[in-house]
Amino acid sequence: MRFRREIQMNNIKSDGFHTVEQIAPDTYRIDECGAANCYLAVGKERALLIDTGCGLGNLKNIVEQLTVLPVDVVLTHAHCDHAGGVGWYEQFFVHEADRTFVYSILSSRLAARAIIGKNGKRSDFAKLPFRPKPVTIRNGHVFELGGRRITVVHTPGHTRGSIVLLDDNHKIMFTGDDINPFLWMHLPGCTSLKEWWFDWRLDVVWMF
């Protein structure tokens, strides 16, 4: 199985910014220059793209090489290294608590360029085809992919609208920045450490 995964990944046409690893059946990690990760969960009827990186290269072309199914896009939170590529799609899902002005700044292309800084050129950021529409979600929202259900759990902390996504059948948790040795809790829009640590963990353990 490992050999077959490597052959499949090697057949993906690279854009020079993304590399792909299959981490579970029908589940892929898409690495953007070692700086950000996106995840693609594929069901029988739809696929779910979790986060979109900073917006370098052509993320949609990579995704289309992994699945021909319709793709929904969800953000674990509204920061630029997770939302930079949303403009490849006409709409995206985001928790209602991240629909405020501070997160519109923190998730902007300007912020993404600031993060990349001297390590990238302006031309590395693709011209995106859409000005996507945000679709509000709340705790408990379920993405039905066809034989695969992924459930949203609200995890305020890094942002007020941060979420993790639980794939119960495959026992996979997509955590965004909530499991991160360098989790920033000092940015505008972060909650207190108490709220981040205590208020959601029991819910996640109980559901998972």
Side-chain angles (χ1 to χ4, degrees), residues 1 11 13 25 48 68 77 115 123 130 168-169 187:
M1 177 63 75
N11 284 340
K13 185 178 179 181
L48 183 66
V68 298
H77 60 287
I115 281 185
S123 60
F130 299 109
D168 188 53
N169 288 343
L187 297 172

Side-chain angles (χ1 to χ4, degrees), residues 50 68 87 96 106 146:
I50 301 167
V68 298
E96 60 182 352
L106 292 172

Side-chain angles (χ1 to χ4, degrees), residues 11 29 43 83 87 90 94-95 108 114 118-120 123 148 161-162 197 199-200 207:
N11 284 340
R29 180 177 70 90
E90 294 187 59
V94 64
H95 191 274
S108 68
K118 295 179 180 179
N119 295 320
S123 60
R148 188 173 193 177
S162 287
W197 180 255
D199 288 357
W200 63 268
M207 293 179 67

Side-chain angles (χ1 to χ4, degrees), residues 20 35 42 46 75 86 89 156 165 198:
V20 178
V42 182
R46 304 188 70 82
L75 301 183
V86 290
Y89 297 89
L165 295 130
F198 290 107

Side-chain angles (χ1 to χ4, degrees), residues 51 75-82 94-100 102-104 106-107 153-164 175-178 183-192 195-196 200:
D51 292 332
L75 301 183
T76 58
H77 60 287
H79 279 167
C80 61
D81 53 335
H82 297 258
V94 64
H95 191 274
E96 60 182 352
D98 273 8
R99 293 284 312 277
T100 63
V102 65
Y103 301 117
S104 68
L106 292 172
S107 63
V153 178
H154 185 207
T155 57
H158 186 49
T159 69
R160 295 198 173 276
S162 287
I163 61 172
V164 301
T175 63
D177 279 346
D178 268 305
L183 178 63
W184 285 12
M185 293 293 294
H186 58 281
L187 297 172
C190 292
T191 72
S192 68
E195 185 174 357
W196 172 72
W200 63 268

